[in-house]
Amino acid sequence: MASDRTLITLFLDMLGAERGASVNTLENYDRDLTHLSEYSNIALQDLDRDCVRDYLKHLAARGLAPSTQARKLSAMRQFYKFLYADGLRGDNPTLGIDSPQIGRSLPKLLSEQQVDALLMAARDRVEEKADLKSLRLLAMLELLYAAGLRVSELVSLPKSAVQGGQPYIYVRGKGDKERLVPVNDRSLRALEAYVDHMKTPTDTPEKGSIWLFPSRGAKGHLTRHRFAQLLKELGAEVGLLPSQLSPHVLRHAFATHLLSHGADLRAVQKMLGHSDITTTQIYTHVLEERLKSLVQSKHPLAEPSKPKQF
């Protein structure tokens, strides 16, 4: 019988080779299955349906969000589906187990004024310092908001993604799918200023890197966690709380602001890299909620709120 670690490694190798799973996806599956292995006193190859249910009850008792529980169950389903398909098990113990109910939540959103304030703060840093780090942050912010990239796509952009002043970039997204994303003049100018500064003589290890946003870290490029940290630090300068701001919130802002100005839903779907338009439709719900709130508070026939009785 193969060890848990061996089976997990075989599963991850299959996901990477046959399905083109991203590094982030592989890391998440590895973490979830390793946690299951550490929790269980039974080898993963022998785990039965009751054990799976006990594990899910354990996660719920620890107070994990339903979305987290559902993600871990999804990892188990894919893992045992792989073991069954490869003849390493005669059944799939996750069959018949329902996922935890997850409410449909609307994405957090920044107003256009808040995004403008954030970008202005980044430009002020460039005016004040004009160093590589300030130029890099401005270029990343402009690009994130102009193209609506996932943060993993942004930080892992190769230099070849930018084609000498062309109004688009090449992005490799989920499932190793490549798409062409248009960008505006302002983000291109920020990128050009950053790239020109990188060409200045330097002895840093990043010199000659294939990455657009290189670093000394193990991955060779700036990590999404580090970028999120830099973003929150900048947000604090304009009065945004850490809970209000993340790279993904800027992706939401990109989509919602485009739709509010009349952009076609299909076009936004393509720019975001969504395979299914129903995923993109969440942003129409955001706009509907904002419209309801606007009508209720600003319409001349809206009922005024009644004062509380004490």
Side-chain angles (χ1 to χ4, degrees):
M1 181 181 294
S3 68
D4 287 357
R5 184 69 256 166
T6 298
L7 292 176
I8 293 172
T9 300
L10 288 172
F11 170 62
L12 297 176
D13 287 345
M14 181 277 295
L15 286 180
E18 296 182 14
R19 301 187 189 175
S22 69
V23 173
N24 293 334
T25 298
L26 295 175
E27 289 176 351
N28 287 334
Y29 275 121
D30 191 2
R31 184 164 51 248
D32 289 342
L33 293 171
T34 299
H35 185 266
L36 172 65
S37 175
E38 292 171 348
Y39 168 81
S40 177
N41 293 322
I42 303 172
L44 293 184
Q45 200 165 353
D46 291 332
L47 216 63
D48 59 23
R49 192 169 301 170
D50 288 337
C51 293
V52 174
R53 288 197 175 101
D54 287 343
Y55 178 63
L56 292 174
K57 289 177 183 177
H58 165 72
L59 297 178
R62 286 181 54 202
L64 269 68
S67 57
T68 304
Q69 298 174 44
R71 190 199 72 218
K72 290 180 179 292
L73 177 57
S74 176
M76 288 188 280
R77 282 175 174 159
Q78 294 298 319
F79 175 68
Y80 284 109
K81 183 178 179 181
F82 161 74
L83 294 188
Y84 177 76
D86 274 32
L88 297 171
R89 270 192 72 119
D91 67 332
N92 184 338
T94 63
L95 293 179
I97 297 180
D98 295 330
S99 295
Q101 292 297 314
I102 305 173
R104 186 186 180 94
S105 60
L106 295 178
K108 294 179 181 178
L109 186 63
L110 294 178
S111 68
E112 292 181 40
Q113 291 76 17
Q114 287 173 317
V115 175
D116 284 341
L118 196 64
L119 290 168
M120 185 60 70
R123 293 187 200 109
D124 288 344
R125 280 194 184 184
V126 170
E127 289 289 332
E128 179 185 347
K129 300 179 180 179
D131 62 352
L132 186 62
K133 288 185 178 180
S134 61
L135 287 164
R136 180 185 66 185
L137 181 58
L138 177 59
M140 295 182 81
L141 273 177
E142 291 278 14
L143 195 53
L144 185 61
Y145 183 55
L149 305 182
R150 300 178 179 92
V151 63
S152 56
E153 295 170 345
L154 175 70
V155 297
S156 62
L157 281 173
K159 289 178 181 176
S160 58
V162 182
Q163 300 291 325
Q166 295 297 324
Y168 52 79
I169 57 172
Y170 292 94
V171 178
R172 192 171 295 279
K174 285 186 175 181
D176 211 30
K177 295 178 181 177
E178 193 174 74
R179 67 185 189 276
L180 201 61
V181 181
V183 291
N184 57 28
D185 291 340
R186 202 168 68 179
S187 59
L188 283 177
R189 288 195 298 270
L191 270 173
E192 287 171 357
Y194 164 67
V195 171
D196 286 345
H197 198 287
M198 276 205 300
K199 293 177 182 177
T200 57
T202 177
D203 294 327
T204 60
E206 295 93 335
K207 193 70 173 179
S209 171
I210 66 168
W211 305 113
L212 186 57
F213 304 112
S215 80
R216 293 182 174 87
K219 292 186 176 181
H221 58 72
L222 194 72
T223 65
R224 54 199 178 108
H225 299 294
R226 178 56 180 156
F227 175 62
Q229 183 182 27
L230 294 171
L231 184 60
K232 290 177 186 294
E233 290 173 359
L234 184 68
E237 294 182 12
V238 296
L240 291 173
L241 298 173
S243 59
Q244 291 179 275
L245 189 58
S246 72
H248 211 61
V249 168
L250 278 177
R251 176 170 158 90
H252 293 324
F254 159 83
T256 310
H257 296 170
L258 273 181
L259 289 171
S260 68
H261 285 279
D264 179 73
L265 187 65
R266 288 283 182 186
V268 175
Q269 175 196 359
K270 288 183 179 179
M271 286 186 281
L272 289 172
H274 288 161
S275 57
D276 191 337
I277 199 167
T278 57
T279 307
T280 318
Q281 285 173 334
I282 183 66
Y283 299 109
T284 63
H285 294 295
V286 173
L287 293 174
E288 288 168 5
E289 291 300 318
R290 290 180 66 190
L291 182 58
K292 288 178 186 176
S293 176
L294 181 65
V295 170
Q296 289 170 359
S297 62
K298 302 297 183 183
H299 194 281
L301 298 182
E303 293 184 6
S305 58
K306 297 179 180 179
K308 293 181 179 179
Q309 300 294 322
F310 294 97

